[in-house]
Amino acid sequence: MNNASLVNQTSAEAGFEYYTPPVWTDAARQMMGAIDLDPASNAIANELVKADRYFSQAEDGLKQQWHGRVWMNHPFHRGENPCVHDHSKCKKKACRERGYHITEAIPGNADWINKLISEYQSGRVTEAVCITFCNSSEGWFLPLLEFPQLFPHGRVHYIGQDGKRVKGCTKGSVITYIGTRTAAFAKAFGHLGTIKVPYKEAA
């Protein structure tokens, strides 16, 4: 499987790390004043994000309480349940392709998006910026449509573990702002793409 496929869909399963180009994290930090938490990161990625705290894969950000101003570039994955105990009865195409079965669930995009919104609704997260692929037909993407979004001018080419741009990214990305300061979001990010906000009919 090539890096484009890993970035586009299955980076979480394959263990492929990809990092956000600093133009996006710089804009998020400028807008929010600082980044208090990156819930899905590591020491290398945090050199660019510069969050005061991050949760590593070992800490599992999905099991933690989040706080403050959040930047999120989560491990992209469609999500997958563990295989049946008797692997001889497992019929999953994914298992045939990778050559082994999984014993624990792989979190999907919906797990991360729903966690982010839940932490914001709880009040623990005061505002957040997240980057995802622009898969507007996917169920996990629908909750993000309730918030202001920036559609970049061109594709976002993520950075690999070697520090170089990952080639072959076949999908566009979108940056979603979860918070109440839409004007500040537009000021920080507007020059990088087109801002769209949800239409809400007047009462």
Side-chain angles (χ1 to χ4, degrees), residues 35-39 51 53-55 65-67 69-71:
I35 296 171
D36 297 312
L37 176 68
D38 183 340
R53 185 179 182 188
Y54 65 86
F55 295 135
Q65 274 195 356
W66 300 3
H67 64 278
R69 297 159 292 187
V70 169
W71 162 267

Side-chain angles (χ1 to χ4, degrees), residues 142-171:
L142 297 182
L144 296 176
L145 295 174
E146 297 297 317
F147 300 94
Q149 294 182 302
L150 174 110
F151 294 82
H153 295 149
R155 289 185 182 144
V156 174
H157 293 282
Y158 295 89
I159 299 170
Q161 291 163 286
D162 59 2
K164 298 179 181 178
R165 190 179 81 167
V166 177
K167 297 179 181 179
C169 183
T170 61
K171 297 180 182 178

Side-chain angles (χ1 to χ4, degrees), residues 21-37:
V23 63
W24 306 106
T25 53
D26 288 351
R29 204 164 43 252
Q30 172 191 336
M31 183 219 143
M32 296 191 289
I35 296 171
D36 297 312
L37 176 68

Side-chain angles (χ1 to χ4, degrees), residues 49-65:
V49 177
K50 301 177 183 177
D52 290 341
R53 185 179 182 188
Y54 65 86
F55 295 135
S56 66
Q57 183 178 7
E59 292 170 300
D60 190 353
L62 289 173
K63 296 179 179 177
Q64 309 293 334
Q65 274 195 356

Side-chain angles (χ1 to χ4, degrees), residues 183-197:
F185 174 62
K187 182 178 180 180
F189 284 88
H191 66 290
L192 298 170
T194 300
I195 300 281
K196 299 289 187 182
V197 296

Side-chain angles (χ1 to χ4, degrees), residues 28-196:
R29 204 164 43 252
Q30 172 191 336
M31 183 219 143
M32 296 191 289
I35 296 171
D36 297 312
L37 176 68
D38 183 340
S41 191
N42 60 34
I44 298 174
N46 201 50
E47 291 179 7
L48 298 175
V49 177
K50 301 177 183 177
D52 290 341
R53 185 179 182 188
Y54 65 86
F55 295 135
S56 66
Q57 183 178 7
E59 292 170 300
D60 190 353
L62 289 173
K63 296 179 179 177
Q64 309 293 334
Q65 274 195 356
W66 300 3
H67 64 278
R69 297 159 292 187
V70 169
W71 162 267
M72 187 175 82
N73 171 6
H74 67 275
F76 293 172
H77 199 277
R78 57 187 173 271
E80 186 178 344
N81 292 323
C83 302
V84 294
H85 181 69
D86 183 354
H87 292 165
S88 65
K89 296 180 180 180
C90 181
K91 305 296 183 184
K92 291 195 294 187
K93 180 181 177 182
C95 292
R96 293 197 304 271
E97 290 179 345
R98 67 177 159 237
Y100 63 89
H101 300 275
I102 60 171
T103 58
E104 296 183 4
I106 300 174
N109 298 313
D111 296 297
W112 289 98
I113 298 302
N114 293 340
K115 171 74 170 176
L116 176 60
I117 294 174
S118 174
E119 292 289 326
Y120 173 70
Q121 292 173 338
S122 77
R124 288 187 289 271
V125 167
T126 55
E127 59 184 341
V129 178
C130 71
I131 187 168
T132 65
F133 281 117
C134 187
N135 289 1
S136 59
S137 63
E138 298 288 339
W140 62 263
F141 190 87
L142 297 182
L144 296 176
L145 295 174
E146 297 297 317
F147 300 94
Q149 294 182 302
L150 174 110
F151 294 82
H153 295 149
R155 289 185 182 144
V156 174
H157 293 282
Y158 295 89
I159 299 170
Q161 291 163 286
D162 59 2
K164 298 179 181 178
R165 190 179 81 167
V166 177
K167 297 179 181 179
C169 183
T170 61
K171 297 180 182 178
S173 297
V174 65
I175 288 81
T176 302
Y177 170 62
I178 298 175
T180 60
R181 300 190 306 122
T182 302
F185 174 62
K187 182 178 180 180
F189 284 88
H191 66 290
L192 298 170
T194 300
I195 300 281
K196 299 289 187 182

